[in-house]
Amino acid sequence: MTSILTAATEATFDRIADALVEEGYILLSDGPDAAITRALFERTQELTHAFRRAGVGREQNQHLNSQIRQDEIHWLSLSDATETAYLEWMEALREAINRRLFMGLFDYECHFAHYAPGAFYKRHLDAFRGQTNRVLTTVYYLNEGWKQDDGGELLIYPESGDEPIEKVAPEAGTLVIFLSDRFPHEVLPAKADRYSIAGWFRVNASLGNQIDPPR
């Protein structure tokens, strides 16, 4: 993993840590490099038939609800080289955040998310304080050539209030990181197929029931 930890990457990790302390979230355009991003998008095209409808709820309470979310997902694993490259970058970020902020992040899970044209995910929180071990959310976008009128933005809201503080276009190479229990968010419908990777850094705590939050 040493090849990932360049001086530029360490500087990026510094900015992420500072932003999490000061704002609780950050939007980046200098995460994993363009070659990895393109390869990840190509991987989604290979996995077309492997995507499955995402549910809401956790474990035995999970069920499909198209009024809340309409995306399809496929979990990443170390069995594929392209997926491994992304997971290694996130492992480097996990270690970097722990060194800087002592957050106790012990692992990372993530999946590809596909939104067909018109699909959405209503406003929700990824975690509720004291009820989950997901503490830090990441969203990485894979859509090259995304146009403004394609829609599909991620809206990030403050802890209280109905006016979004960020409206993020799902353009390839954009990485969003935020504290899971602080920022409600939603995915607006798009006019084109929309691909991303949603992930969560976790601490070693008991899981609670919540809406499972792919983007």
Side-chain angles (χ1 to χ4, degrees):
M1 196 178 300
T2 54
S3 62
I4 296 175
L5 300 178
T6 64
T9 304
E10 290 287 5
T12 298
F13 292 163
D14 285 339
R15 286 198 294 120
I16 293 170
D18 290 344
L20 291 176
V21 171
E22 295 170 7
E23 305 291 342
Y25 74 95
I26 187 171
L27 316 180
L28 292 166
S29 59
D30 54 351
D33 66 36
I36 292 177
T37 307
R38 190 168 297 108
L40 288 166
F41 175 79
E42 292 171 357
R43 179 67 176 151
T44 66
Q45 306 309 291
E46 296 170 359
L47 292 168
T48 299
H49 299 294
F51 279 84
R52 296 292 181 267
R53 279 282 309 279
V56 299
R58 298 303 300 271
E59 300 177 348
Q60 69 271 19
N61 295 320
Q62 191 174 80
H63 61 282
L64 298 179
N65 188 332
S66 61
Q67 301 302 308
I68 296 176
R69 64 183 301 179
Q70 300 178 343
D71 55 318
E72 303 173 324
I73 65 173
H74 180 79
W75 292 90
L76 275 72
S77 75
L78 295 172
S79 62
D80 176 80
T82 299
E83 296 174 25
T84 296
Y86 182 77
L87 291 169
E88 286 181 346
W89 200 93
M90 286 299 175
E91 174 61 13
L93 175 58
R94 184 189 70 83
E95 294 176 352
I97 294 299
N98 281 344
R99 288 196 304 271
R100 290 162 172 81
L101 301 182
F102 307 102
M103 290 185 68
L105 307 177
F106 83 100
D107 75 352
Y108 178 74
E109 60 182 2
C110 64
H111 59 63
F112 293 111
H114 168 230
Y115 288 78
F120 58 83
Y121 195 158
K122 294 292 188 180
R123 177 172 170 167
H124 62 281
L125 268 173
D126 281 1
F128 298 98
R129 292 182 182 178
Q131 298 182 16
T132 181
N133 64 353
R134 289 176 172 176
V135 296
L136 196 60
T137 297
T138 68
V139 188
Y140 191 58
Y141 293 110
L142 308 177
N143 310 290
E144 293 187 356
W146 196 262
K147 299 184 290 295
Q148 183 174 358
D149 62 2
D150 285 334
E153 294 90 352
L154 171 70
L155 300 185
I156 302 176
Y157 294 90
E159 290 185 80
S160 60
D162 294 326
E163 290 298 321
I165 55 176
E166 296 287 351
K167 185 176 184 180
V168 186
E171 298 171 345
T174 298
L175 175 62
V176 185
I177 304 173
F178 57 89
L179 296 173
S180 301
D181 64 359
R182 276 188 52 187
F183 296 98
H185 49 284
E186 70 176 301
V187 176
L188 300 180
K191 297 179 182 178
D193 288 289
R194 176 189 186 279
Y195 292 91
S196 61
I197 299 174
W200 302 269
F201 289 104
R202 306 190 302 173
V203 296
N204 193 10
S206 297
L207 284 171
N209 292 331
Q210 64 184 71
I211 291 177
D212 195 20
R215 351 231 108 1

